[in-house]
Amino acid sequence: MKNPILITGIMLVLVAVSMATVFNAAYTSNGITFYSPSTNGQVYHSGQTLYLNASAGSQYANQPVTITITTPSGVNVDLPPTQTNAQGFVIENLGTFGQGQLSTPGTYTIAVSVEAPSPLGTKTGVIQVVYVPAQASVTIEVLNGETGVPLSGAMVYLYNTTNGIHKLITEGTTGASGTVTLSVISFNFTQTFQAVAMYSGFVNNSVTFSIVGNQSVTEVIKLYPAVLSIIPFMVMQNGTVVDASNINAPLTSVVVTQGIPASIIAKVEFAGMPISNATVQASSAYPSLVKVLSVSPITSGTYAGDYNITIEAMVVNTTSAPYEVVLSINASYMSLTQSVSVSVQAYYNTLAYLQHYIELIQTEINLLNTDIKTLNTSINSLTTSLSSLNQSITTVTKEVNTLNQELTTANQTASGLSGTVNSLKTSLNTLATELSSLNTTVNQLKSQVNGILPLVYGGIIAGVLGLIVAIIAIVLVYRKIS
Protein backbone atom coordinates (compact mmCIF):
# COMPACT_ATOMS: atom_id res chain seq x y z
CA MET A 1 0.00 0.00 0.00
CA LYS A 2 1.26 3.50 -0.80
CA ASN A 3 2.36 5.71 2.06
CA PRO A 4 -0.49 8.24 2.54
CA ILE A 5 1.79 10.70 4.30
CA LEU A 6 4.26 10.60 1.37
CA ILE A 7 1.45 11.03 -1.14
CA THR A 8 0.00 13.91 0.85
CA GLY A 9 3.42 15.56 0.96
CA ILE A 10 3.86 15.24 -2.77
CA MET A 11 0.40 16.60 -3.39
CA LEU A 12 1.11 19.63 -1.19
CA VAL A 13 4.36 20.26 -3.01
CA LEU A 14 2.62 20.07 -6.36
CA VAL A 15 -0.14 22.35 -5.13
CA ALA A 16 2.45 24.82 -3.94
CA VAL A 17 4.17 24.64 -7.31
CA SER A 18 0.87 25.04 -9.09
CA MET A 19 -0.10 28.03 -6.96
CA ALA A 20 3.24 29.61 -7.72
CA THR A 21 2.71 28.89 -11.38
CA VAL A 22 -0.62 30.72 -11.34
CA PHE A 23 1.22 33.96 -11.16
CA ASN A 24 3.49 33.04 -14.07
CA ALA A 25 1.97 31.24 -17.10
CA ALA A 26 -1.24 29.30 -17.68
CA TYR A 27 -3.41 28.12 -20.53
CA THR A 28 -7.19 27.91 -20.31
CA SER A 29 -9.40 25.64 -22.40
CA ASN A 30 -13.21 25.45 -21.88
CA GLY A 31 -13.02 26.69 -18.33
CA ILE A 32 -10.11 24.48 -17.28
CA THR A 33 -6.85 26.26 -16.59
CA PHE A 34 -3.65 24.32 -17.25
CA TYR A 35 -0.64 25.30 -15.17
CA SER A 36 1.41 22.31 -16.30
CA PRO A 37 1.75 22.10 -19.21
CA SER A 38 1.48 25.84 -19.03
CA THR A 39 1.21 26.60 -22.74
CA ASN A 40 -0.50 24.91 -25.67
CA GLY A 41 2.13 23.12 -27.83
CA GLN A 42 4.77 23.10 -25.09
CA VAL A 43 7.89 21.18 -26.19
CA TYR A 44 9.27 18.25 -24.20
CA HIS A 45 12.44 16.21 -24.71
CA SER A 46 13.46 12.66 -23.88
CA GLY A 47 13.61 12.00 -20.15
CA GLN A 48 11.32 14.87 -19.16
CA THR A 49 8.28 14.04 -17.04
CA LEU A 50 4.83 15.23 -18.09
CA TYR A 51 3.04 16.56 -14.97
CA LEU A 52 -0.61 17.54 -15.28
CA ASN A 53 -1.64 20.44 -13.04
CA ALA A 54 -5.01 21.88 -13.99
CA SER A 55 -7.85 23.61 -12.18
CA ALA A 56 -11.58 23.54 -12.89
CA GLY A 57 -12.35 25.98 -10.04
CA SER A 58 -13.16 25.49 -6.39
CA GLN A 59 -16.79 24.78 -7.22
CA TYR A 60 -15.57 21.51 -8.81
CA ALA A 61 -13.81 20.29 -5.67
CA ASN A 62 -13.73 16.53 -5.12
CA GLN A 63 -15.41 15.75 -8.46
CA PRO A 64 -14.73 12.76 -10.79
CA VAL A 65 -12.09 13.38 -13.47
CA THR A 66 -11.44 11.52 -16.75
CA ILE A 67 -8.08 11.99 -18.48
CA THR A 68 -7.45 10.82 -22.06
CA ILE A 69 -4.14 11.07 -23.94
CA THR A 70 -4.20 10.86 -27.72
CA THR A 71 -0.80 9.78 -29.12
CA PRO A 72 0.73 11.15 -32.37
CA SER A 73 -0.44 7.96 -34.12
CA GLY A 74 -4.08 8.65 -33.11
CA VAL A 75 -4.39 6.07 -30.32
CA ASN A 76 -6.50 7.13 -27.31
CA VAL A 77 -5.09 6.11 -23.94
CA ASP A 78 -7.51 6.40 -21.01
CA LEU A 79 -5.86 6.88 -17.64
CA PRO A 80 -7.40 5.39 -14.48
CA PRO A 81 -10.31 7.52 -13.11
CA THR A 82 -9.35 10.15 -10.50
CA GLN A 83 -10.90 13.25 -8.93
CA THR A 84 -10.17 16.86 -8.16
CA ASN A 85 -8.80 17.84 -4.78
CA ALA A 86 -10.46 20.09 -2.23
CA GLN A 87 -9.45 23.19 -4.22
CA GLY A 88 -10.71 21.80 -7.56
CA PHE A 89 -7.23 20.96 -8.92
CA VAL A 90 -6.28 17.89 -10.99
CA ILE A 91 -2.68 16.87 -10.23
CA GLU A 92 -1.27 13.74 -11.98
CA ASN A 93 2.03 12.31 -13.23
CA LEU A 94 1.28 11.29 -16.86
CA GLY A 95 4.65 9.64 -17.55
CA THR A 96 8.13 10.29 -18.88
CA PHE A 97 8.83 11.10 -22.52
CA GLY A 98 10.76 8.40 -24.32
CA GLN A 99 9.05 5.67 -22.30
CA GLY A 100 5.81 3.68 -22.52
CA GLN A 101 2.85 5.61 -23.92
CA LEU A 102 5.00 8.74 -24.36
CA SER A 103 7.73 7.14 -26.49
CA THR A 104 6.59 8.26 -29.96
CA PRO A 105 7.89 11.64 -31.19
CA GLY A 106 5.15 14.11 -32.21
CA THR A 107 2.12 15.92 -30.84
CA TYR A 108 0.10 14.55 -27.89
CA THR A 109 -3.39 15.78 -27.05
CA ILE A 110 -4.45 15.74 -23.39
CA ALA A 111 -8.19 15.95 -22.68
CA VAL A 112 -9.31 16.57 -19.06
CA SER A 113 -13.02 16.12 -18.25
CA VAL A 114 -14.32 17.19 -14.82
CA GLU A 115 -17.86 16.13 -13.92
CA ALA A 116 -20.13 18.18 -11.66
CA PRO A 117 -23.79 18.06 -10.61
CA SER A 118 -26.30 20.29 -12.39
CA PRO A 119 -26.39 23.13 -13.05
CA LEU A 120 -22.59 23.33 -13.28
CA GLY A 121 -22.21 20.62 -15.96
CA THR A 122 -19.08 18.82 -17.20
CA LYS A 123 -15.99 20.76 -18.28
CA THR A 124 -13.57 19.29 -20.83
CA GLY A 125 -10.32 21.12 -21.42
CA VAL A 126 -7.83 20.17 -24.12
CA ILE A 127 -4.15 21.00 -24.35
CA GLN A 128 -1.40 19.76 -26.68
CA VAL A 129 2.26 19.03 -26.04
CA VAL A 130 5.01 18.18 -28.52
CA TYR A 131 7.62 15.50 -27.89
CA VAL A 132 10.87 16.31 -29.67
CA PRO A 133 13.49 13.67 -28.84
CA ALA A 134 17.11 14.65 -28.32
CA GLN A 135 19.36 15.01 -31.34
CA ALA A 136 22.66 13.13 -31.26
CA SER A 137 25.54 14.16 -33.50
CA VAL A 138 27.55 11.43 -35.22
CA THR A 139 30.77 12.34 -37.05
CA ILE A 140 32.35 9.67 -39.24
CA GLU A 141 35.89 10.06 -40.59
CA VAL A 142 36.87 7.81 -43.52
CA LEU A 143 40.58 7.16 -44.15
CA ASN A 144 42.70 5.14 -46.56
CA GLY A 145 43.80 2.31 -44.27
CA GLU A 146 47.18 1.96 -46.00
CA THR A 147 48.21 5.61 -46.20
CA GLY A 148 46.01 7.32 -43.61
CA VAL A 149 44.89 9.86 -46.23
CA PRO A 150 41.27 11.10 -45.81
CA LEU A 151 38.91 9.83 -48.49
CA SER A 152 36.72 12.59 -49.90
CA GLY A 153 33.46 11.53 -51.53
CA ALA A 154 33.03 8.31 -49.55
CA MET A 155 29.41 7.30 -48.91
CA VAL A 156 28.44 6.72 -45.28
CA TYR A 157 25.22 4.91 -44.33
CA LEU A 158 23.96 4.98 -40.75
CA TYR A 159 21.82 2.06 -39.50
CA ASN A 160 19.93 1.75 -36.22
CA THR A 161 20.66 -1.76 -34.88
CA THR A 162 18.96 -1.49 -31.49
CA ASN A 163 17.38 -4.77 -30.31
CA GLY A 164 18.44 -6.67 -33.42
CA ILE A 165 16.86 -4.38 -36.02
CA HIS A 166 18.89 -3.07 -38.97
CA LYS A 167 17.16 0.06 -40.24
CA LEU A 168 18.75 2.72 -42.43
CA ILE A 169 18.03 6.10 -40.82
CA THR A 170 20.30 8.53 -42.69
CA GLU A 171 23.25 8.79 -45.05
CA GLY A 172 25.86 11.29 -46.19
CA THR A 173 29.04 11.91 -48.19
CA THR A 174 32.44 12.79 -46.75
CA GLY A 175 33.90 16.18 -47.58
CA ALA A 176 37.47 17.23 -48.34
CA SER A 177 38.55 16.32 -44.80
CA GLY A 178 37.12 12.83 -45.16
CA THR A 179 34.41 13.48 -42.57
CA VAL A 180 30.63 13.67 -42.55
CA THR A 181 28.37 14.64 -39.65
CA LEU A 182 24.96 13.01 -39.29
CA SER A 183 22.12 13.79 -36.87
CA VAL A 184 19.97 11.10 -35.29
CA ILE A 185 17.05 11.09 -32.91
CA SER A 186 18.18 9.85 -29.50
CA PHE A 187 16.50 8.92 -26.25
CA ASN A 188 17.34 8.51 -22.60
CA PHE A 189 18.05 4.82 -23.19
CA THR A 190 20.94 3.20 -25.06
CA GLN A 191 20.63 2.76 -28.82
CA THR A 192 23.16 0.94 -31.00
CA PHE A 193 24.17 2.06 -34.47
CA GLN A 194 26.29 0.83 -37.37
CA ALA A 195 28.01 3.18 -39.79
CA VAL A 196 29.01 1.63 -43.15
CA ALA A 197 31.51 3.41 -45.41
CA MET A 198 31.91 2.75 -49.15
CA TYR A 199 34.43 4.09 -51.65
CA SER A 200 35.11 3.05 -55.23
CA GLY A 201 38.06 0.65 -55.52
CA PHE A 202 38.04 -0.04 -51.78
CA VAL A 203 36.40 -2.73 -49.67
CA ASN A 204 33.46 -1.63 -47.53
CA ASN A 205 34.04 -1.36 -43.81
CA SER A 206 31.90 -0.49 -40.82
CA VAL A 207 31.98 0.52 -37.19
CA THR A 208 29.41 0.04 -34.41
CA PHE A 209 28.75 2.34 -31.44
CA SER A 210 26.04 3.28 -28.97
CA ILE A 211 24.30 6.55 -28.07
CA VAL A 212 22.33 7.71 -25.04
CA GLY A 213 20.59 11.08 -25.16
CA ASN A 214 22.15 13.96 -27.08
CA GLN A 215 25.68 12.63 -27.22
CA SER A 216 28.22 13.69 -29.82
CA VAL A 217 30.08 10.69 -31.21
CA THR A 218 33.12 10.58 -33.51
CA GLU A 219 34.19 7.33 -35.18
CA VAL A 220 36.95 6.47 -37.69
CA ILE A 221 36.48 3.95 -40.51
CA LYS A 222 39.53 2.75 -42.45
CA LEU A 223 39.01 1.48 -45.98
CA TYR A 224 41.59 -0.63 -47.78
CA PRO A 225 42.09 -0.99 -51.54
CA ALA A 226 40.44 -4.12 -52.93
CA VAL A 227 43.73 -5.84 -53.76
CA LEU A 228 45.26 -9.20 -52.85
CA SER A 229 48.74 -9.15 -51.31
CA ILE A 230 51.30 -11.88 -50.55
CA ILE A 231 53.83 -10.99 -47.88
CA PRO A 232 56.70 -13.47 -47.20
CA PHE A 233 58.20 -12.20 -43.96
CA MET A 234 60.18 -14.97 -42.22
CA VAL A 235 62.43 -17.98 -42.94
CA MET A 236 63.16 -20.70 -40.37
CA GLN A 237 65.53 -23.69 -40.46
CA ASN A 238 65.93 -26.22 -37.65
CA GLY A 239 63.52 -24.12 -35.56
CA THR A 240 65.72 -21.00 -35.84
CA VAL A 241 64.87 -17.78 -37.65
CA VAL A 242 67.50 -17.34 -40.36
CA ASP A 243 65.92 -14.46 -42.25
CA ALA A 244 63.13 -12.01 -41.38
CA SER A 245 61.70 -8.67 -42.40
CA ASN A 246 59.06 -6.18 -41.39
CA ILE A 247 55.51 -7.31 -42.13
CA ASN A 248 55.00 -4.28 -44.35
CA ALA A 249 58.20 -4.95 -46.33
CA PRO A 250 57.96 -8.42 -47.91
CA LEU A 251 61.12 -10.48 -48.30
CA THR A 252 62.38 -10.54 -51.88
CA SER A 253 65.59 -12.50 -51.26
CA VAL A 254 66.33 -15.05 -48.55
CA VAL A 255 69.28 -17.20 -47.52
CA VAL A 256 69.02 -20.91 -46.70
CA THR A 257 71.40 -23.83 -46.26
CA GLN A 258 71.43 -26.63 -48.79
CA GLY A 259 69.89 -29.93 -47.79
CA ILE A 260 67.98 -28.60 -44.76
CA PRO A 261 64.20 -28.08 -44.95
CA ALA A 262 63.31 -24.41 -44.59
CA SER A 263 59.94 -22.91 -43.65
CA ILE A 264 59.06 -19.66 -45.36
CA ILE A 265 56.20 -17.94 -43.49
CA ALA A 266 53.95 -15.81 -45.69
CA LYS A 267 50.90 -13.69 -44.96
CA VAL A 268 48.05 -13.20 -47.45
CA GLU A 269 45.98 -10.03 -47.16
CA PHE A 270 42.87 -8.82 -48.89
CA ALA A 271 42.10 -5.11 -48.61
CA GLY A 272 44.75 -4.80 -45.93
CA MET A 273 43.25 -7.51 -43.75
CA PRO A 274 44.85 -10.95 -43.21
CA ILE A 275 42.86 -13.85 -44.66
CA SER A 276 43.32 -17.54 -43.88
CA ASN A 277 41.09 -19.08 -46.56
CA ALA A 278 42.98 -18.10 -49.70
CA THR A 279 44.27 -20.75 -52.12
CA VAL A 280 48.08 -20.63 -51.99
CA GLN A 281 50.51 -22.58 -54.19
CA ALA A 282 54.30 -22.44 -54.47
CA SER A 283 57.08 -23.89 -56.62
CA SER A 284 60.85 -23.68 -56.77
CA ALA A 285 62.65 -23.33 -60.10
CA TYR A 286 66.11 -24.89 -60.49
CA PRO A 287 68.11 -24.56 -63.72
CA SER A 288 66.69 -27.81 -65.09
CA LEU A 289 63.90 -28.67 -62.64
CA VAL A 290 60.72 -27.18 -61.21
CA LYS A 291 59.49 -28.63 -57.91
CA VAL A 292 56.01 -28.14 -56.48
CA LEU A 293 56.33 -27.22 -52.81
CA SER A 294 54.18 -28.08 -49.82
CA VAL A 295 51.98 -25.21 -48.60
CA SER A 296 49.89 -25.54 -45.45
CA PRO A 297 47.81 -23.04 -43.43
CA ILE A 298 49.07 -22.40 -39.91
CA THR A 299 46.17 -23.01 -37.53
CA SER A 300 47.65 -22.27 -34.11
CA GLY A 301 50.39 -20.37 -32.36
CA THR A 302 51.92 -16.98 -33.10
CA TYR A 303 51.50 -17.28 -36.86
CA ALA A 304 47.99 -18.73 -36.92
CA GLY A 305 46.24 -17.61 -40.10
CA ASP A 306 49.49 -17.40 -42.09
CA TYR A 307 50.89 -19.96 -44.54
CA ASN A 308 53.92 -22.26 -44.20
CA ILE A 309 55.85 -22.95 -47.41
CA THR A 310 58.38 -25.78 -47.08
CA ILE A 311 61.42 -25.72 -49.36
CA GLU A 312 64.57 -27.84 -49.22
CA ALA A 313 67.39 -26.63 -51.46
CA MET A 314 69.08 -29.60 -53.11
CA VAL A 315 72.72 -30.34 -52.32
CA VAL A 316 74.37 -29.70 -55.67
CA ASN A 317 77.96 -28.66 -54.91
CA THR A 318 80.66 -28.66 -52.26
CA THR A 319 81.90 -25.11 -52.73
CA SER A 320 81.26 -22.04 -50.65
CA ALA A 321 79.51 -20.25 -53.51
CA PRO A 322 75.69 -20.34 -53.23
CA TYR A 323 73.36 -21.11 -56.08
CA GLU A 324 70.00 -19.42 -56.64
CA VAL A 325 66.55 -20.97 -56.59
CA VAL A 326 63.56 -18.91 -57.72
CA LEU A 327 60.61 -19.39 -55.39
CA SER A 328 57.18 -18.52 -56.90
CA ILE A 329 54.17 -18.00 -54.63
CA ASN A 330 50.66 -17.72 -56.09
CA ALA A 331 47.46 -16.87 -54.21
CA SER A 332 43.84 -16.63 -55.28
CA TYR A 333 40.89 -15.29 -53.31
CA MET A 334 37.37 -14.62 -54.58
CA SER A 335 37.99 -13.44 -58.17
CA LEU A 336 41.45 -12.01 -57.51
CA THR A 337 44.88 -13.59 -58.07
CA GLN A 338 48.36 -12.47 -57.07
CA SER A 339 51.89 -13.82 -57.33
CA VAL A 340 55.33 -12.90 -56.00
CA SER A 341 58.85 -14.24 -56.58
CA VAL A 342 61.50 -14.69 -53.94
CA SER A 343 65.17 -15.31 -54.70
CA VAL A 344 66.50 -18.13 -52.52
CA GLN A 345 70.28 -18.20 -52.04
CA ALA A 346 71.28 -21.77 -51.12
CA TYR A 347 74.67 -22.09 -49.41
CA TYR A 348 76.68 -25.31 -49.10
CA ASN A 349 76.99 -26.92 -45.68
CA THR A 350 79.38 -29.81 -45.01
CA LEU A 351 77.14 -31.23 -42.37
CA ALA A 352 74.21 -30.90 -44.71
CA TYR A 353 76.22 -32.62 -47.44
CA LEU A 354 77.07 -35.52 -45.12
CA GLN A 355 73.55 -35.54 -43.83
CA HIS A 356 72.34 -35.74 -47.39
CA TYR A 357 74.40 -38.84 -48.10
CA ILE A 358 73.59 -40.35 -44.72
CA GLU A 359 69.96 -39.93 -45.63
CA LEU A 360 70.62 -41.64 -48.98
CA ILE A 361 72.36 -44.53 -47.19
CA GLN A 362 69.58 -44.64 -44.65
CA THR A 363 67.10 -44.82 -47.49
CA GLU A 364 69.00 -47.77 -48.98
CA ILE A 365 69.11 -49.45 -45.56
CA ASN A 366 65.40 -48.89 -45.18
CA LEU A 367 64.85 -50.47 -48.59
CA LEU A 368 67.04 -53.44 -47.61
CA ASN A 369 65.18 -53.78 -44.34
CA THR A 370 61.95 -53.77 -46.28
CA ASP A 371 63.28 -56.45 -48.64
CA ILE A 372 64.51 -58.56 -45.70
CA LYS A 373 61.15 -58.25 -44.00
CA THR A 374 59.47 -59.31 -47.23
CA LEU A 375 61.91 -62.27 -47.58
CA ASN A 376 61.32 -63.30 -43.96
CA THR A 377 57.62 -63.18 -44.59
CA SER A 378 58.08 -65.40 -47.67
CA ILE A 379 60.30 -67.84 -45.69
CA ASN A 380 57.75 -68.02 -42.90
CA SER A 381 55.04 -68.66 -45.44
CA LEU A 382 57.18 -71.37 -47.12
CA THR A 383 57.95 -72.99 -43.75
CA THR A 384 54.26 -73.08 -42.98
CA SER A 385 53.59 -74.64 -46.39
CA LEU A 386 56.36 -77.27 -45.90
CA SER A 387 55.01 -78.15 -42.47
CA SER A 388 51.57 -78.61 -43.96
CA LEU A 389 53.09 -80.72 -46.79
CA ASN A 390 54.95 -82.95 -44.29
CA GLN A 391 51.71 -83.54 -42.45
CA SER A 392 50.04 -84.47 -45.72
CA ILE A 393 52.92 -86.88 -46.64
CA THR A 394 52.69 -88.55 -43.22
CA THR A 395 48.96 -89.01 -43.68
CA VAL A 396 49.45 -90.46 -47.20
CA THR A 397 52.20 -92.85 -45.91
CA LYS A 398 49.87 -94.16 -43.23
CA GLU A 399 47.15 -94.72 -45.80
CA VAL A 400 49.61 -96.56 -48.14
CA ASN A 401 50.72 -98.83 -45.28
CA THR A 402 47.11 -99.63 -44.49
CA LEU A 403 46.47 -100.44 -48.13
CA ASN A 404 49.56 -102.73 -48.24
CA GLN A 405 48.27 -104.65 -45.24
CA GLU A 406 44.86 -105.00 -46.81
CA LEU A 407 46.48 -106.12 -50.09
CA THR A 408 48.52 -108.82 -48.29
CA THR A 409 45.36 -110.12 -46.65
CA ALA A 410 43.62 -110.11 -50.02
CA ASN A 411 46.53 -112.05 -51.60
CA GLN A 412 46.35 -114.67 -48.86
CA THR A 413 42.60 -114.99 -49.34
CA ALA A 414 43.11 -115.24 -53.10
CA SER A 415 45.68 -118.08 -52.63
CA GLY A 416 43.14 -120.07 -50.57
CA LEU A 417 40.46 -119.43 -53.12
CA SER A 418 42.77 -120.68 -55.91
CA GLY A 419 42.85 -124.30 -54.44
CA THR A 420 39.09 -124.28 -54.05
CA VAL A 421 38.70 -123.11 -57.62
CA ASN A 422 40.99 -125.90 -58.88
CA SER A 423 38.99 -128.51 -56.90
CA LEU A 424 35.78 -127.05 -58.29
CA LYS A 425 37.27 -127.27 -61.79
CA THR A 426 38.06 -130.99 -61.26
CA SER A 427 34.54 -131.64 -59.97
CA LEU A 428 33.13 -129.79 -62.90
CA ASN A 429 35.20 -131.87 -65.28
CA THR A 430 33.97 -135.05 -63.57
CA LEU A 431 30.41 -133.82 -63.70
CA ALA A 432 30.86 -132.98 -67.31
CA THR A 433 32.08 -136.54 -68.04
CA GLU A 434 29.19 -138.00 -66.09
CA LEU A 435 26.78 -135.67 -67.82
CA SER A 436 28.14 -136.78 -71.20
CA SER A 437 27.67 -140.44 -70.19
CA LEU A 438 24.20 -139.65 -68.92
CA ASN A 439 23.35 -137.96 -72.18
CA THR A 440 24.48 -141.11 -74.05
CA THR A 441 22.30 -143.30 -71.82
CA VAL A 442 19.37 -140.95 -72.27
CA ASN A 443 19.83 -141.06 -76.00
CA GLN A 444 19.88 -144.84 -75.89
CA LEU A 445 16.72 -144.87 -73.77
CA LYS A 446 15.08 -142.48 -76.17
CA SER A 447 15.88 -144.90 -79.00
CA GLN A 448 14.45 -147.83 -77.05
CA VAL A 449 11.35 -145.88 -76.09
CA ASN A 450 10.84 -144.89 -79.64
CA GLY A 451 10.95 -148.62 -80.62
CA ILE A 452 8.51 -149.68 -77.84
CA LEU A 453 5.98 -146.91 -78.28
CA PRO A 454 4.01 -148.50 -81.15
CA LEU A 455 3.55 -151.75 -79.17
CA VAL A 456 2.63 -149.86 -76.03
CA TYR A 457 0.14 -147.76 -77.90
CA GLY A 458 -1.40 -150.87 -79.52
CA GLY A 459 -1.69 -152.67 -76.19
CA ILE A 460 -3.25 -149.65 -74.60
CA ILE A 461 -5.77 -149.36 -77.38
CA ALA A 462 -6.64 -153.07 -77.10
CA GLY A 463 -7.01 -152.80 -73.36
CA VAL A 464 -9.29 -149.80 -73.75
CA LEU A 465 -11.45 -151.65 -76.26
CA GLY A 466 -11.65 -154.68 -74.00
CA LEU A 467 -12.60 -152.42 -71.09
CA ILE A 468 -15.32 -150.82 -73.12
CA VAL A 469 -16.70 -154.27 -74.10
CA ALA A 470 -16.64 -155.32 -70.45
CA ILE A 471 -18.48 -152.21 -69.41
CA ILE A 472 -21.11 -152.82 -72.04
CA ALA A 473 -21.50 -156.43 -70.94
CA ILE A 474 -21.90 -155.34 -67.35
CA VAL A 475 -24.51 -152.84 -68.34
CA LEU A 476 -26.43 -155.48 -70.29
CA VAL A 477 -26.24 -157.95 -67.45
CA TYR A 478 -27.44 -155.25 -65.05
CA ARG A 479 -30.42 -154.42 -67.19
CA LYS A 480 -31.29 -158.06 -67.55
CA ILE A 481 -31.22 -158.59 -63.85
CA SER A 482 -33.33 -155.61 -63.19
Side-chain angles (χ1 to χ4, degrees):
M1 179 179 289
K2 297 181 179 178
N3 190 329
I5 297 176
L6 177 61
I7 295 175
T8 302
I10 293 174
M11 296 290 289
L12 291 175
V13 170
L14 292 175
V15 169
V17 172
S18 67
M19 295 301 293
T21 308
V22 170
F23 300 101
N24 291 318
Y27 173 76
T28 301
S29 171
N30 196 27
I32 296 180
T33 301
F34 291 89
Y35 300 102
S36 175
S38 59
T39 59
N40 191 41
Q42 183 173 334
V43 175
Y44 285 81
H45 297 288
S46 177
Q48 288 185 291
T49 301
L50 177 58
Y51 290 105
L52 174 64
N53 184 359
S55 174
S58 59
Q59 67 271 34
Y60 283 86
N62 302 315
Q63 295 301 313
V65 177
T66 300
I67 302 173
T68 300
I69 299 177
T70 303
T71 67
S73 58
V75 176
N76 292 325
V77 180
D78 294 324
L79 274 65
T82 185
Q83 66 178 27
T84 58
N85 62 14
Q87 290 78 34
F89 279 86
V90 180
I91 301 174
E92 292 289 333
N93 181 343
L94 302 185
T96 301
F97 282 101
Q99 301 177 9
Q101 62 196 18
L102 301 179
S103 60
T104 303
T107 300
Y108 290 79
T109 300
I110 304 169
V112 179
S113 295
V114 181
E115 298 180 12
S118 179
L120 296 178
T122 299
K123 289 183 177 181
T124 300
V126 177
I127 191 170
Q128 292 182 328
V129 296
V130 180
Y131 171 37
V132 179
Q135 295 289 320
S137 175
V138 178
T139 299
I140 303 297
E141 182 179 13
V142 183
L143 304 176
N144 184 322
E146 291 185 345
T147 64
V149 175
L151 294 177
S152 174
M155 288 298 302
V156 177
Y157 300 89
L158 187 62
Y159 295 86
N160 190 325
T161 58
T162 306
N163 296 327
I165 66 173
H166 194 268
K167 180 181 180 181
L168 177 65
I169 56 174
T170 187
E171 61 184 66
T173 306
T174 58
S177 63
T179 62
V180 61
T181 300
L182 306 171
S183 295
V184 298
I185 295 176
S186 60
F187 304 92
N188 65 333
F189 58 85
T190 300
Q191 295 184 98
T192 57
F193 295 86
Q194 180 188 42
V196 179
M198 301 180 181
Y199 194 77
S200 179
F202 289 70
V203 175
N204 303 344
N205 199 5
S206 64
V207 64
T208 58
F209 51 91
S210 59
I211 293 176
V212 179
N214 57 352
Q215 279 184 284
S216 293
V217 177
T218 299
E219 296 289 342
V220 177
I221 300 178
K222 293 182 179 181
L223 301 184
Y224 291 85
V227 296
L228 190 65
S229 303
I230 304 173
I231 307 171
F233 64 91
M234 182 178 295
V235 182
M236 301 179 68
Q237 280 188 301
N238 288 335
T240 302
V241 177
V242 296
D243 215 337
S245 178
N246 187 284
I247 293 292
N248 296 321
L251 292 171
T252 57
S253 179
V254 300
V255 175
V256 299
T257 301
Q258 297 177 27
I260 301 177
S263 292
I264 298 178
I265 310 301
K267 185 181 297 294
V268 179
E269 293 184 347
F270 173 68
M273 301 300 293
I275 56 175
S276 59
N277 57 340
T279 300
V280 181
Q281 298 174 329
S283 62
S284 56
Y286 295 86
S288 60
L289 175 67
V290 175
K291 296 180 64 176
V292 177
L293 303 180
S294 171
V295 180
S296 58
I298 302 174
T299 58
S300 61
T302 305
Y303 305 108
D306 297 332
Y307 298 84
N308 178 32
I309 303 168
T310 302
I311 179 174
E312 181 177 347
M314 295 187 299
V315 179
V316 299
N317 59 43
T318 58
T319 67
S320 59
Y323 71 89
E324 184 179 77
V325 182
V326 178
L327 172 64
S328 297
I329 307 173
N330 302 298
S332 60
Y333 179 73
M334 298 174 65
S335 60
L336 301 176
T337 59
Q338 186 60 273
S339 62
V340 298
S341 296
V342 179
S343 174
V344 179
Q345 304 296 321
Y347 281 83
Y348 171 74
N349 183 297
T350 303
L351 292 177
Y353 182 78
L354 293 175
Q355 180 66 29
H356 173 70
Y357 280 97
I358 289 173
E359 288 177 355
L360 291 178
I361 294 171
Q362 185 62 49
T363 300
E364 292 296 330
I365 291 173
N366 291 339
L367 291 174
L368 287 174
N369 283 334
T370 301
D371 291 341
I372 290 172
K373 288 180 180 178
T374 302
L375 184 59
N376 284 335
T377 301
S378 299
I379 291 173
N380 291 335
S381 177
L382 183 58
T383 300
T384 301
S385 298
L386 289 174
S387 176
S388 177
L389 183 59
N390 284 333
Q391 291 178 357
S392 298
I393 291 172
T394 300
T395 301
V396 170
T397 301
K398 290 180 179 179
E399 292 177 352
V400 169
N401 291 335
T402 300
L403 289 174
N404 285 333
Q405 292 175 0
E406 292 177 351
L407 183 58
T408 301
T409 302
N411 286 335
Q412 292 173 356
T413 302
S415 297
L417 290 174
S418 178
T420 303
V421 169
N422 291 332
S423 177
L424 288 174
K425 284 181 178 181
T426 302
S427 299
L428 286 174
N429 291 333
T430 303
L431 288 174
T433 302
E434 292 177 354
L435 181 60
S436 177
S437 177
L438 183 59
N439 284 333
T440 300
T441 303
V442 168
N443 289 331
Q444 291 175 355
L445 289 175
K446 283 182 178 180
S447 298
Q448 294 176 2
V449 169
N450 289 334
I452 296 172
L453 280 179
L455 296 176
V456 172
Y457 291 151
I460 291 172
I461 292 171
V464 171
L465 290 175
L467 182 58
I468 292 172
V469 172
I471 291 172
I472 292 173
I474 292 170
V475 171
L476 292 175
V477 173
Y478 176 74
R479 284 182 178 176
K480 187 176 181 180
I481 294 173
S482 56

